[in-house]
């Protein structure tokens, strides 16, 4: 995995919601892989059912619907995103457990407008480039 390509409008929408929310926001990045690069076609916001400022959880049924829709469209869930409040956009120990289950791209933003993307590779956190297009 080399880079995550995301449109400015999509990133802005995520960052705006993250800034305005009192709890972590979360959702899915739907798109296509081209070789080592991931391209976001659209984003789907999901409900954080923990409703927490320090963690998030997405309903498995909601996840399944998103997966099925992406598959029907010939796309894939290339990543998930969530926000942190008043701390850097770096995977928390809790996130690491999620990353172990969801081996795709983890885009993490925070309420001050920072954003970084990570994948778990051989048990190690690896940061990947975010290319805003
Ligand atoms: Zn997190």
């Amino acid at each position: 995995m080399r880079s995550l390509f995301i449109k400015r409008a999509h990133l802005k929408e995520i960052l705006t919601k993250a800034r305005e929310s009192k709890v972590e926001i979360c959702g899915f990045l739907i798109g296509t892989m081209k070789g080592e690069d991931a391209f976001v076609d659209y984003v789907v916001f999901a409900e954080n059912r923990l409703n927490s400022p320090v963690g998030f959880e997405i309903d498995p049924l909601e996840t399944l619907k998103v997966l099925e829709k992406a598959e029907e469209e010939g796309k894939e869930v290339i990543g998930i995103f969530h926000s942190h409040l008043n701390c850097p956009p770096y995977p928390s120990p809790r996130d690491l457990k999620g990353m172990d289950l969801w081996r795709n791209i983890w885009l993490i933003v925070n309420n001050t407008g920072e954003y970084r993307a990570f994948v778990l590779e051989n048990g190690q956190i690896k940061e990947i480039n975010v290319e805003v297009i």
Side-chain angles (χ1 to χ4, degrees):
M1 200 86 73
R2 211 164 44 200
S3 299
L4 173 68
F5 289 82
I6 184 167
K7 289 193 182 78
R8 189 167 300 278
H10 289 148
L11 184 62
K12 197 179 163 196
E13 197 184 355
I14 294 170
L15 289 172
T16 301
K17 281 215 165 70
R19 196 178 58 230
E20 291 167 351
S21 178
K22 297 278 180 274
V23 298
E24 289 193 7
I25 60 150
C26 52
F28 302 91
L29 305 172
I30 315 299
T32 41
M33 294 295 303
K34 287 174 190 154
E36 288 285 291
D37 296 321
F39 292 81
V40 178
D41 290 325
Y42 63 92
V43 300
V44 178
F45 287 87
E47 192 190 329
N48 176 1
R49 67 176 189 179
L50 293 183
N51 205 33
S52 161
V54 293
F56 76 101
E57 197 174 278
I58 301 173
D59 185 342
L61 268 180
E62 198 171 349
T63 304
L64 189 63
K65 276 185 203 155
V66 172
L67 281 167
E68 283 176 350
K69 180 170 181 277
E71 196 173 324
E72 276 167 24
E73 295 166 340
K75 300 182 192 296
E76 52 185 303
V77 179
I78 57 174
I80 62 173
F81 65 86
H82 74 284
S83 67
H84 285 172
L85 277 81
N86 306 314
C87 71
Y90 193 80
S92 67
R94 186 190 164 88
D95 291 337
L96 268 178
K97 284 186 194 147
M99 290 177 84
D100 202 29
L101 295 172
W102 274 86
R103 297 294 182 96
N104 53 13
I105 297 169
W106 279 57
L107 173 67
I108 308 179
V109 307
N110 69 11
N111 54 326
T112 62
E114 295 178 300
Y115 57 89
R116 294 169 75 174
F118 306 88
V119 290
L120 200 63
E121 242 176 43
N122 305 316
Q124 304 280 331
I125 297 172
K126 184 187 163 208
E127 183 163 10
I128 62 166
N129 298 323
V130 180
E131 304 277 352
V132 183
I133 52 173

